[in-house]
Amino acid sequence: MTAGQANNWIILELPGLATNVGVARVAVAAFAAQLEFTLNDLEDIKLAVSEAVSNAVLHAYPPGEPGTVRIRAALVDGELELTVEDRGRGIDDVDRARQTGFSTLPDRMGMGFVFMEAFMDLVEVASRPGEGTTVRMRKRVGSEPRAEVPDQVQWDFAGAGPGPAHPRPDDSD
Amino acid sequence: MTAGQANNWIILELPGLATNVGVARVAVAAFAAQLEFTLNDLEDIKLAVSEAVSNAVLHAYPPGEPGTVRIRAALVDGELELTVEDRGRGIDDVDRARQTGFSTLPDRMGMGFVFMEAFMDLVEVASRPGEGTTVRMRKRVGSEPRAEVPDQVQWDFAGAGPGPAHPRPDDSD
Amino acid sequence: MEISFERRPGVVVARIAGELDCYTAPTLREVLDRELDASGAASLVLNLRDASFIDSSGLGAILGRYRRLAPGGGRVAVCEAQPSVRRVLELAGIPRIIPLYPSEEQALEAQKAVGT
Amino acid sequence: MEISFERRPGVVVARIAGELDCYTAPTLREVLDRELDASGAASLVLNLRDASFIDSSGLGAILGRYRRLAPGGGRVAVCEAQPSVRRVLELAGIPRIIPLYPSEEQALEAQKAVGT
Ligand SMILES: Nc1ncnc2c1ncn2[C@@H]1O[C@H](COP(=O)(O)OP(=O)(O)O)[C@@H](O)[C@H]1O
Ligand SMILES: Nc1ncnc2c1ncn2[C@@H]1O[C@H](COP(=O)(O)OP(=O)(O)O)[C@@H](O)[C@H]1O
């Protein structure tokens, strides 16, 4: 059975409802617990799942018309590979979307992608406007989250209004 | 969001490995927790998932060649509808398979279907030899598990050998 | 998620249990604002002892309260956060604007120190 | 799943933590049999205080030990099972052949009463 786990995977499909984000977290964490991840690693993975699935819930589909979100977790070469996919409106400019503090919704922090990057070892975003978004992530057993998220963010938080709708020139990621 | 939950569902696909049975339990329980199920109800649901997915793992596919198991959980009219499906070898005689103590494996108790029936409100088994098996179950919020599983079982347990390979005439289900 | 409140002079203490994500954040936001309005308190102490998870949506709800209270001189503090939750807060640099305290008492003491 | 053992005169006490299902049952079976062989004990007390789940595969592993020990006059008892686990054992009618005790002490007392 242990040998089989090397090629193990799960696919979870669910409608993009906020109430399902927790289900996705729990399912992926239960699956990932098969590898020798520490409790901290599993928390990192939950956070990354939460951010990616929340994005599909909040940004991909028109409000009130949730489409399907597909989550795939696989054990590949002792690493967890995670894919979160939607068939929603897509992202016009992925580089801009990934920048710290960038959000197209007024009450969001624009920290989702930054958190995924901070807590996972690899984050790739593929998106086509009108067709959907696929976020692919990897987590190695024993990898540490990267230091802190960039400094700029605190500055934005401290401001009275919502975060900037557009990135500043010094907002690098 | 609450309205949307009435039509909420998840689909979970995974290879039929024993290590994945716990993942299925946890995912379905996290999903079912959206309804007003009691903790006992959620334990009943976990048990039913465990029995149905274990069957797909243990009986459907040749040892060492696990095929895919598909679990669907949906909230329908305030009930949980659960489907566990495999594309494995199927069951020749479903009525016989559902009888208390019947098992085709020497070290099994033949209690899987009996438990599903005891802990869920409805259990339907559709199977075609060579094509696969689908178990459909329902659980109402607030339903109680049925009394005890039939008496015959204790008798079999108490025997020195494995359970009977064939049902006795008085093994009704 | 479940929230219970205790009103202290000038401070609302909110004890939050459960997961703070995009499902619960809108409720969290609304319930906190309602209590802040009703109490007229300038400051907020969030006791996260029973909060088991937080992501950027949950952080957003907390930082939103900071943005609301800061212009009037009010403060926001977090206390008793579990290690996994504290880890997310720290990685996000939250403590630089919202201090974390090991106990509710210490968080309340610190509020007093500034006066309300 | 994790198991630890304590050998008492004529009795093995096995403390089992985790989930008892078709993934862990083969290990449970093997480890219990190995310890019964090594100790030469006639009876078995299973402390399920930290067992969080059991299904028919887990029950099968327990009943298999009963079948093994009963012909030699040995006994199997379960103690400290959590409510959710106890519920499954009771619905399956297990207590009629494998008694359940609230504490390990009581389970061990009962073993003595029959002598080993
Ligand atoms: N799955 C998605 N579909 C469409 N747009 C997305 C998706 N994920 C992210 N985006 C876009 O990228 C932006 C930045 O995302 P993120 O860093 O997670 O911050 P936030 O969710 O707080 O807005 C979002 O505001 C949104 O415009
Ligand atoms: N998914 C399945 N595919 C093929 N055969 C199955 C499946 N589920 C159950 N069976 C057959 O039905 C029998 C009875 O199942 P069950 O009541 O769960 O007891 P057990 O799993 O202990 O054998 C099994 O022994 C097996 O022969």
Side-chain angles (χ1 to χ4, degrees), chain B residues 25 50-51 147-148 151 154, chain D residues 19 55-56 87 91-92 96:
Chain B
R25 277 198 299 270
S50 205
E51 298 297 346
E148 263 190 26
D151 223 59
Q154 277 75 48
Chain D
E19 304 191 311
D55 65 8
S56 78
R87 201 155 153 271
L91 271 161
R96 268 182 264 161

Side-chain angles (χ1 to χ4, degrees), chain C residues 6-14 32 35-36 39-46 65 69-70 72-77 107-108 110-112 114-116:
Chain C
E6 190 181 322
R7 294 186 190 176
R8 298 294 197 98
V11 188
V12 160
V13 179
L32 286 176
E35 177 67 14
L36 286 169
S39 67
S43 293
L44 179 63
V45 168
L46 299 162
R65 291 336 94 202
L69 296 174
R75 304 195 138 209
V76 178
L108 284 167
Q111 301 299 319
K112 265 188 215 147
V114 254
T116 41

Side-chain angles (χ1 to χ4, degrees), chain A residues 19-100:
Chain A
T19 177
N20 288 337
V21 176
V23 178
R25 277 198 301 269
V26 161
V28 172
F31 175 78
Q34 292 173 36
L35 283 186
E36 322 269 78
F37 285 122
T38 63
L39 287 182
N40 272 352
D41 287 339
L42 293 177
E43 290 298 326
D44 294 353
I45 291 164
K46 273 195 204 168
L47 193 85
V49 171
S50 205
E51 298 297 345
V53 177
S54 295
N55 275 354
V57 166
L58 296 164
H59 302 298
Y61 301 107
E65 297 171 43
T68 298
V69 184
R70 186 173 177 277
I71 300 121
R72 184 175 189 279
L75 304 180
V76 183
D77 303 333
E79 293 189 22
L80 180 77
E81 187 176 285
L82 199 64
T83 315
V84 177
E85 206 179 329
D86 64 63
R87 302 252 153 255
R89 68 172 177 77
I91 302 175
D92 297 326
D93 182 340
V94 168
D95 288 342
R96 193 181 55 169
R98 292 180 69 156
Q99 283 174 328
T100 304

Side-chain angles (χ1 to χ4, degrees), chain A residues 55 59-60 86 90-91 97 102-104 108-113 133:
Chain A
N55 275 354
H59 302 298
D86 64 63
I91 302 175
F102 177 85
S103 180
T104 47
R108 304 277 310 159
M109 305 205 308
M111 293 290 292
F113 284 126
T133 302

